Amino acid sequence: MDFEKMISYLNIQTEHKEKLPEFFEQEDVREFLLLKWKEYVNNLPLESENEVVDSDEPNLNNTDNDINMATIPNIPEDEETKARQTVNPYIDSKDNDLDRKLKAKHIQLQNGKVNQPYQCLFDITVFGIADIGDFELIGLDEIGLKFNPSTDLIEGIPTSAGDHRITLKCKRNEWSEGDPIFERTITLIINPDPRSLWNNIPTPTNIEYYKPDSDCKYIKVEKTKGIFGLGKKEQKDIVAASQRGRSHAHEGTPRDDDFSILHQQNEGWYIMTVADGAGSAKYSRQGSFIACQTVSDICNTQFAKYNKEVDELIKDFEKDSSDVKRKKLGDALYNIIGSAVFKAYKNIEKEAEEKENQIKDYATTLLVTVSKKFKFGWFVAAFWVGDGGIGIYNKDTQYLKIMGEPDGGEFAGQTRFLTMSEIMQPTEIYKRLRFEIVEDFTALVLMSDGITDPKFETDSNLNRIEKWNKLWEDITSTVDLTDDNVDSAQQLLQWLDFWSQGNHDDRTIAILY
């Protein structure tokens, strides 16, 4: 092709002449020119019979070349031949153009996640292809999704993870039977449920200090009769649960948390403990167990033995909350709770020595509360070392009292432990004791950091009532914390399985409600 002549003929600027070959190489230009050429040829006049025939061409008038048409059988035309003969070149060109445009479009669907609601707007008009009429998406049903034409939304709950191939089938405007249907494959990525990526390997039962992967307990406290057997006083129940974290379950390592709950039927004292063994300490699961059981046992014994004396001190303090009265009550609590905490430390130390281990191998936090109902309200005392949280929460009055301070370290994940010798100094134990008298409460809650971290995010948020409101709403949406519900322990254990990205530690909670 002589592009130099064509440049002058078409009046094309010389600086654009290098673009001319590229222009004629385009498929749609070639198809257009071919179409015009066919139209031109079909409109040419027939050759005159008197025109001179080139001597090199065969003489069609030569009788020697006559063909007897009667001897040629009729060859039936197949469907493909008929289709070729009836093809409208212009329509065929438009179909190719639409197919090319559809396949060239960048179509991306937003990613989804298995078992989580999915919505994605799919408005085909935004592709800017005017010739598209009806269309459908094939392959959505197999993964739990549907396309809603009234809202242009792909929606549903994906059931299968992976890179799914969805087929977009389009018809041209004014489509009729036999016309082509255009297809385009679209990739829809559905990510797996993060929970499914975690293993749940049972803890081997033959390890030293084996502990079940989960535990829960409910204590039903009967109503007590009033004076002369008249009337009954409402009592609160206790429920607690502990669940091995996903990080431990994934590796088949044991639960480090522990708890203990009890109620003295005669004296009326409620005693609750929660402990979180340090993940870096290889026998912390035993440290948390010893701490909870030791404190619970000693408090049970001592409050039964000195119940009358402690009751009198509490009643005196309720009438007169002077520093003198506070000091007397504080000293009594130190002699009981403080002694129990120190004994827990000594029992852990003894265990380490007998096993020829270091006491830091049994490192654990410890949360303790003792409480009792009086005519004037509830008395609550607490001891707290480490992270986690203790709170008195009243949903109706929006009252909140945090019974201590979490021990945060210099870096995230650091805390202080019962097994540290400096924690066992008398002044240190004494300052960690807190007590309060409240008219009533919805719940007295002890939690390990496996719960406080995802639910409160920061230590300062423990003092925000809205965080406690949200926590209580979350718990009670799953756990029926009404009187005498024996199923509450299993319900609470199931609640502990909640998902929180990045928070996969052991979870333990005890609730007096």
Side-chain angles (χ1 to χ4, degrees):
M1 183 179 292
D2 191 343
F3 287 108
E4 294 296 332
K5 291 182 178 180
M6 191 173 295
I7 289 171
S8 59
Y9 181 77
L10 296 177
N11 195 24
I12 296 173
Q13 298 178 11
T14 56
E15 63 265 24
H16 295 153
K17 66 180 182 180
E18 69 276 3
K19 296 290 184 180
L20 197 60
E22 180 182 338
F23 173 76
F24 280 98
E25 285 299 321
Q26 295 183 72
E27 186 176 346
D28 51 350
V29 174
R30 293 162 64 92
E31 290 177 356
F32 176 77
L33 292 175
L34 179 61
L35 176 63
K36 292 302 179 183
W37 172 252
K38 288 181 180 179
E39 291 177 354
Y40 173 76
V41 171
N42 291 336
N43 291 326
L44 288 175
L46 296 175
E47 294 181 348
S48 170
E49 293 181 355
N50 297 324
E51 289 187 71
V52 177
V53 179
D54 188 9
S55 60
D56 292 334
E57 296 294 328
N59 186 357
L60 297 180
N61 293 322
N62 190 335
T63 57
D64 294 336
N65 294 328
D66 285 348
I67 299 174
N68 185 358
M69 299 299 293
T71 63
I72 299 176
N74 291 326
I75 301 175
E77 295 180 342
D78 58 23
E79 293 300 321
E80 182 179 353
T81 303
K82 291 180 181 179
R84 283 200 303 268
Q85 291 174 348
T86 57
V87 165
N88 184 325
Y90 177 68
I91 296 297
D92 184 50
S93 175
K94 288 178 63 178
D95 288 344
N96 290 337
D97 183 57
L98 176 57
D99 185 58
R100 182 172 58 255
K101 287 181 178 178
L102 183 63
K103 291 179 178 177
K105 281 293 177 183
H106 176 68
I107 304 175
Q108 183 173 358
L109 302 177
Q110 68 186 41
N111 295 353
K113 188 177 293 184
V114 170
N115 298 328
Q116 293 192 15
Y118 177 86
Q119 272 194 345
C120 177
L121 181 65
F122 187 82
D123 182 3
I124 203 164
T125 62
V126 302
F127 301 151
I129 306 177
D131 293 337
I132 293 180
D134 291 337
F135 69 92
E136 61 179 333
L137 293 165
I138 308 299
L140 292 175
D141 290 345
E142 289 83 346
I143 56 176
L145 299 176
K146 290 185 178 297
F147 176 70
N148 187 340
S150 63
T151 60
D152 289 333
L153 287 176
I154 300 172
E155 53 192 357
I157 299 179
T159 57
S160 176
D163 293 0
H164 300 283
R165 306 299 180 189
I166 306 302
T167 302
L168 170 63
K169 290 191 173 184
C170 300
K171 298 177 181 178
R172 182 187 294 282
N173 286 322
E174 301 179 358
W175 182 89
S176 58
E177 191 67 35
D179 288 350
I181 297 176
F182 307 93
E183 295 187 1
R184 161 70 191 274
T185 300
I186 306 171
T187 299
L188 173 57
I189 299 175
I190 301 297
N191 295 314
D193 184 344
R195 302 187 191 198
S196 66
L197 302 178
W198 291 89
N199 295 324
N200 188 13
I201 304 172
T203 300
T205 57
N206 60 347
I207 65 169
E208 191 171 15
Y209 303 129
Y210 169 77
K211 180 183 291 186
D213 294 336
S214 64
D215 190 15
C216 62
K217 185 177 181 181
Y218 165 78
I219 295 179
K220 176 181 177 181
V221 181
E222 300 287 350
K223 299 175 182 178
T224 59
K225 294 182 179 180
I227 300 175
F228 305 118
L230 300 176
K232 289 187 177 181
K233 294 167 60 178
E234 294 289 340
Q235 297 292 325
K236 297 184 184 295
D237 295 341
I238 322 176
V239 65
S242 181
Q243 175 65 55
R244 181 177 63 157
R246 290 186 178 88
S247 55
H248 283 169
H250 189 70
E251 299 176 356
T253 53
R255 173 171 57 99
D256 291 329
D257 281 11
D258 221 305
F259 72 86
S260 174
I261 57 175
L262 65 85
H263 173 257
Q264 294 179 338
Q265 188 66 39
N266 294 329
E267 293 79 17
W269 285 98
Y270 293 85
I271 303 168
M272 301 191 295
T273 62
V274 164
D276 177 5
S280 59
K282 59 182 178 180
Y283 298 129
S284 64
R285 59 187 177 276
Q286 186 66 7
S288 63
F289 171 77
I290 293 173
C292 285
Q293 293 303 314
T294 300
V295 171
S296 183
D297 291 344
I298 292 178
C299 285
N300 185 29
T301 302
Q302 295 297 92
F303 276 105
K305 184 176 181 180
Y306 298 106
N307 176 61
K308 184 176 180 180
E309 290 82 355
V310 175
D311 280 3
E312 289 301 320
L313 289 172
I314 294 172
K315 291 174 183 178
D316 286 346
F317 176 73
E318 191 276 331
K319 295 175 183 178
D320 176 12
S321 57
S322 64
D323 291 343
V324 174
K325 298 292 185 180
R326 177 177 290 276
K327 179 67 165 56
K328 286 184 178 180
L329 180 54
D331 290 347
L333 294 174
Y334 173 80
N335 288 334
I336 297 176
I337 302 174
S339 296
V341 168
F342 183 74
K343 182 62 175 177
Y345 169 85
K346 297 304 289 184
N347 283 350
I348 293 173
E349 184 181 52
K350 179 182 178 182
E351 179 70 17
E353 290 175 352
E354 289 178 353
K355 297 291 184 178
E356 297 183 350
N357 297 319
Q358 296 182 8
I359 191 171
K360 67 179 182 180
D361 293 335
Y362 297 79
T364 181
T365 68
L366 180 62
L367 307 176
V368 182
T369 62
V370 295
S371 52
K372 183 175 180 178
K373 189 176 188 311
F374 292 85
K375 290 181 180 180
F376 49 79
W378 281 84
F379 174 79
V380 180
F383 174 86
W384 180 338
V385 59
D387 45 25
I390 305 174
I392 305 173
Y393 167 71
N394 193 316
K395 177 184 176 183
D396 297 330
T397 64
Q398 291 292 279
Y399 173 84
L400 174 64
K401 181 67 177 181
I402 304 303
M403 300 296 289
E405 297 177 3
D407 287 304
E410 182 180 355
F411 302 102
Q414 286 187 332
T415 189
R416 306 184 78 184
F417 300 107
L418 177 71
T419 47
M420 295 177 173
S421 58
E422 63 268 25
I423 299 297
M424 290 299 103
Q425 299 303 311
T427 54
E428 186 70 21
I429 294 176
Y430 198 97
K431 79 174 187 179
R432 291 174 179 272
L433 287 168
R434 307 289 172 88
F435 56 89
E436 196 75 22
I437 294 177
V438 296
E439 184 177 351
D440 198 5
F441 55 81
T442 303
L444 171 60
V445 185
L446 289 71
M447 300 170 283
S448 68
D449 69 334
I451 297 173
T452 57
D453 283 355
K455 296 302 182 182
F456 293 88
E457 292 97 24
T458 65
D459 292 343
S460 61
N461 280 344
L462 282 172
N463 294 285
R464 294 178 58 189
I465 188 65
E466 58 268 30
K467 288 289 187 179
W468 284 83
N469 289 335
K470 189 174 181 180
L471 173 67
W472 191 250
E473 181 181 356
D474 188 10
I475 293 174
T476 54
S477 67
T478 303
V479 187
D480 180 15
L481 292 178
T482 56
D483 194 36
D484 299 343
N485 178 26
V486 296
D487 296 325
S488 61
Q490 283 296 330
Q491 293 170 356
L492 187 60
L493 185 60
Q494 292 175 8
W495 176 80
L496 290 177
D497 194 39
F498 63 82
W499 176 261
S500 176
Q501 186 173 358
N503 293 290
H504 308 299
D505 197 5
D506 294 350
R507 296 170 180 168
T508 303
I509 186 169
I511 307 174
L512 172 60
Y513 66 97

